[in-house]
Amino acid sequence: MSIWWSLHLRREAASVPLARRLLLGTMETAGVDPDVSYDLSLALSEACANAVEHGGESGPPDSSAAYRVTAYLDGEKCRIEVTDSGPGFPPVRPRPTPMEAENGRGLCLIRELADHVQIGNKPGRGAVVSFDKILKWRKDAPLMAV
């Protein structure tokens, strides 16, 4: 079983729950375990919120008003990628933000919720946050990987 979708979203707060609901609906329909679905949807929300807040100060004209979310459910793994058109991550990253801090917890949370995380830049096109997680399936999963 393989499912993938890609969204081109405006950098507005209202786009974050839209992406989250689409991911949750896809995983529920496929039969993914609700706990895994919740973890991935929370990580996606954090990545989207970062793109909305930080992802549009540079890049090609008119591109800063949008970001892209792509999700792949392929076999036993789900991979999600969020790409924006902002300045990207700085070359030298500051120390990790403590979980008690008011801001800056999103990337830490994504690392805690996903099995594998890649954070980087696409030259001239902004930041990319990609993460994946091994899927668990409900017993009655209609699209369970075999």
Side-chain angles (χ1 to χ4, degrees):
M1 183 262 324
S2 183
I3 300 171
W4 74 271
W5 50 260
S6 186
L7 299 171
H8 187 81
L9 298 166
R10 293 180 61 96
R11 281 187 50 242
E12 298 174 348
S15 68
V16 176
L18 173 65
R20 182 177 179 148
R21 283 193 297 266
L22 182 59
L23 180 66
L24 283 169
T26 300
M27 291 191 292
E28 181 181 351
T29 300
V32 175
D33 177 80
D35 291 336
V36 172
S37 297
Y38 178 79
D39 287 352
L40 283 168
S41 69
L42 184 55
L44 174 62
S45 294
E46 292 295 332
C48 290
N50 283 345
V52 167
E53 186 174 344
H54 305 289
E57 296 161 15
S58 71
D62 297 324
S63 68
S64 65
Y67 67 102
R68 181 171 300 283
V69 175
T70 305
Y72 307 90
L73 278 78
D74 191 18
E76 295 295 320
K77 180 170 66 172
C78 178
R79 170 164 291 216
I80 298 170
E81 182 176 287
V82 177
T83 307
D84 66 40
S85 56
F89 292 99
V92 177
R93 294 199 188 127
R95 294 189 342 213
T97 304
M99 291 303 283
E100 301 84 31
E102 285 294 318
N103 294 312
R105 296 179 300 192
L107 294 176
C108 291
L109 191 53
I110 292 168
R111 285 186 180 106
E112 289 294 319
L113 294 168
D115 294 329
H116 184 257
V117 179
Q118 290 181 299
I119 298 169
N121 297 318
K122 285 194 176 181
R125 296 193 330 205
V128 179
V129 175
S130 176
F131 53 94
D132 57 45
K133 189 167 183 81
I134 300 298
L135 297 174
K136 290 188 228 172
W137 300 90
R138 295 187 325 249
K139 289 185 174 132
D140 63 338
L143 300 177
M144 178 171 37
V146 191

